[in-house]
């Protein structure tokens, strides 16, 4: 028997709303398949890799490894945003990231993002071949950043942070963290579109650990399915973050690997399609498994 809207003998194909993210190199269709952003810190003081990748060759080697493991995007950062980290000059930051981006661009056609709050660094990085600006200040730290992104037509990650890295963990306070982050995204979306950025180039990130206590992070993780502005993708950076240690007493970074995979799976189930992680292989496999189960019957 076939109902008005039904198909004989089976469930209707649920329609998956279109979700795209535009960058100059490629427009990603995020309706069905999540993407992995591998983290490449070229800072001497990064909390996660202790500066191991600060030299060009080892940075490239690490990028190649993440690409072989299935990274779709390599996110390159030259300034640590660890709580209490001291800022570096634009010249120093550019000197760290520029050679890595240029060399990686020469050998790889995938997406490269620059993790910076400075328009000068972003300009140099885009010139070297980066496709995306990932700004943990949500394009508020530098008044020239929005105009630059609009002119370049690059992809943009707009992250929420309360305060600034040096002091953000001192006493973060919210009325309702979920409502506040949602309101921030809407304000940013309006402002950035008014500045000339293509709405399809925007993606949003709740900024786990950036001016948030444990309960704030957990509330945001529980609300991942209702944070993003309509039609825009969400990116999550929960990899190895200290909230895992607070919950599970895993001070050793290596022990935060499996909890990170679990958080990624939870986030994917809540519709997060962009995952910024250190350990690409396990996250890639977890996402493949989740998507194989979800899509097999479609
Ligand atoms: N987290 C960090 C840096 N950049 N960008 C986005 N969009 N989202 C994040 O959650 C995010 C980010 C901090 O983590 P990490 O890169 O591991 O450390 P460091 O601050 O030392 O670079």
């Amino acid at each position: 028997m076939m109902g008005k809207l039904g198909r004989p003998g089976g469930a209707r194909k649920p329609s998956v709303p279109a979700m795209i993210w535009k960058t100059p190199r490629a427009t990603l269709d995020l309706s069905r398949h999540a993407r992995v952003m591998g983290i490449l810190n070229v800072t001497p003081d990064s909390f996660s890799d202790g500066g191991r990748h600060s030299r060009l060759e080892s940075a490239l080697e690490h990028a190649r490894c993440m690409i072989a493991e299935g990274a779709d995007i390599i996110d390159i950062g030259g300034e640590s945003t660890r709580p209490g980290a001291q800022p570096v000059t634009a010249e120093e930051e550019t000197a760290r990231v520029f050679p890595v981006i240029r060399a990686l661009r020469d050998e790889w056609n995938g997406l490269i993002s620059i993790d910076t709050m400075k328009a000068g660094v972003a300009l140099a990085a885009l010139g070297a071949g980066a496709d995306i600006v990932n700004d943990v200040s949500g394009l508020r730290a530098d008044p020239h950043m929005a105009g630059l992104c609009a002119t370049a037509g690059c992809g943009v990650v707009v992250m929420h942070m309360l305060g600034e890295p040096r002091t953000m963990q001192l006493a973060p306070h919210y009325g309702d963290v979920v409502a506040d982050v949602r309101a921030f995204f809407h304000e940013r979306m309006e402002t950035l579109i008014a500045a000339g950025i293509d709405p399809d180039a925007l993606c949003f990130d709740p900024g786990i650990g950036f001016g948030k206590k444990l309960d704030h992070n957990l509330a945001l993780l529980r609300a991942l399915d209702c944070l993003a502005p309509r039609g825009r993708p969400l990116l999550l950076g929960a990899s190895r973050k200290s909230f895992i240690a607070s919950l599970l007493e895993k001070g050793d970074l290596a022990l935060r690997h499996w909890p990170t995979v679990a958080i990624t799976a939870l986030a994917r189930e809540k519709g997060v399609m962009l995952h910024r992680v250190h350990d690409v292989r396990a996250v890639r496999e977890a996402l493949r498994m989740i998507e194989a189960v979800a899509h097999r019957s479609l």
Side-chain angles (χ1 to χ4, degrees):
M1 169 101 172
M2 191 164 82
K4 247 188 190 165
L5 298 169
R7 292 193 305 168
R12 260 177 65 77
K13 229 182 191 182
S15 61
V16 182
M19 165 90 75
I20 61 161
W21 190 27
K22 235 190 213 177
T23 78
R25 189 166 307 273
T27 294
L28 302 181
D29 178 354
L30 299 172
S31 325
R32 288 163 65 94
H33 297 296
R35 303 302 200 281
V36 178
M37 176 187 264
I39 300 169
L40 185 61
N41 285 321
V42 282
T43 59
D45 55 350
S46 288
F47 77 80
S48 52
D49 57 25
R52 272 192 297 118
H53 304 295
S54 55
R55 283 176 301 116
L56 177 62
E57 253 323 301
S58 59
L60 283 174
E61 215 170 278
H62 188 55
R64 288 180 197 126
C65 174
M66 291 193 288
I67 291 164
E69 290 179 354
D72 303 284
I73 305 166
I74 299 294
D75 186 43
I76 300 177
E79 178 181 41
S80 176
T81 47
R82 173 176 51 135
Q86 290 305 315
V88 293
T89 64
E91 291 69 30
E92 170 63 19
E93 199 180 329
T94 303
R96 291 175 185 176
V97 297
F98 186 86
V100 181
I101 295 171
R102 200 171 48 185
L104 183 60
R105 181 78 296 152
D106 277 350
E107 62 179 75
W108 188 55
N109 198 30
L111 294 175
I112 298 175
S113 68
I114 172 68
D115 186 345
T116 188
M117 293 185 273
K118 301 185 187 81
V121 177
L123 179 65
L126 292 167
D131 311 287
I132 296 162
V133 169
N134 171 24
D135 184 338
V136 297
S137 81
L139 286 76
R140 293 172 303 157
D142 188 325
H144 302 296
M145 190 66 109
L148 169 67
C149 292
T151 307
C154 57
V156 181
V157 181
V158 179
M159 201 196 80
H160 176 273
M161 167 168 59
L162 191 68
E164 42 122 9
R166 217 165 30 85
T167 53
M168 65 189 177
Q169 289 305 103
L170 293 182
H173 179 78
Y174 297 86
D176 172 340
V177 67
V178 171
D180 290 4
V181 169
R182 289 186 63 178
F184 171 83
F185 287 165
H186 282 96
E187 179 279 317
R188 287 285 80 200
M189 178 126 167
E190 278 183 11
T191 304
L192 297 175
I193 291 171
I197 297 180
D198 182 341
D200 287 343
L202 293 170
C203 95
F204 294 85
D205 180 338
I208 296 300
F210 283 84
K212 281 132 193 143
K213 290 185 174 160
L214 176 61
D215 285 341
H216 300 137
N217 291 319
L218 297 183
L220 289 168
L221 290 172
R222 285 192 290 263
L224 285 172
D225 47 1
C226 63
L227 283 181
R230 183 186 273 277
R232 299 318 312 140
L234 211 64
L235 184 146
L236 186 71
S239 183
R240 297 185 187 169
K241 291 231 166 127
S242 60
F243 79 94
I244 295 172
S246 312
L247 275 180
L248 303 179
E249 292 166 13
K250 297 209 179 291
D252 182 344
L253 289 173
L255 297 177
R256 299 184 194 173
H257 169 75
W258 296 112
T260 297
V261 177
I263 292 291
T264 305
L266 176 141
R268 175 63 185 82
E269 268 304 278
K270 287 179 177 284
V272 175
M273 302 306 267
L274 295 159
H275 301 267
R276 181 183 183 276
V277 298
H278 300 89
D279 303 301
V280 170
R281 187 188 300 276
V283 163
R284 178 81 272 168
E285 288 301 304
L287 292 170
R288 279 186 61 199
M289 191 67 220
I290 292 165
E291 291 173 358
V293 172
H295 297 152
R296 186 78 178 178
S297 62
L298 296 185

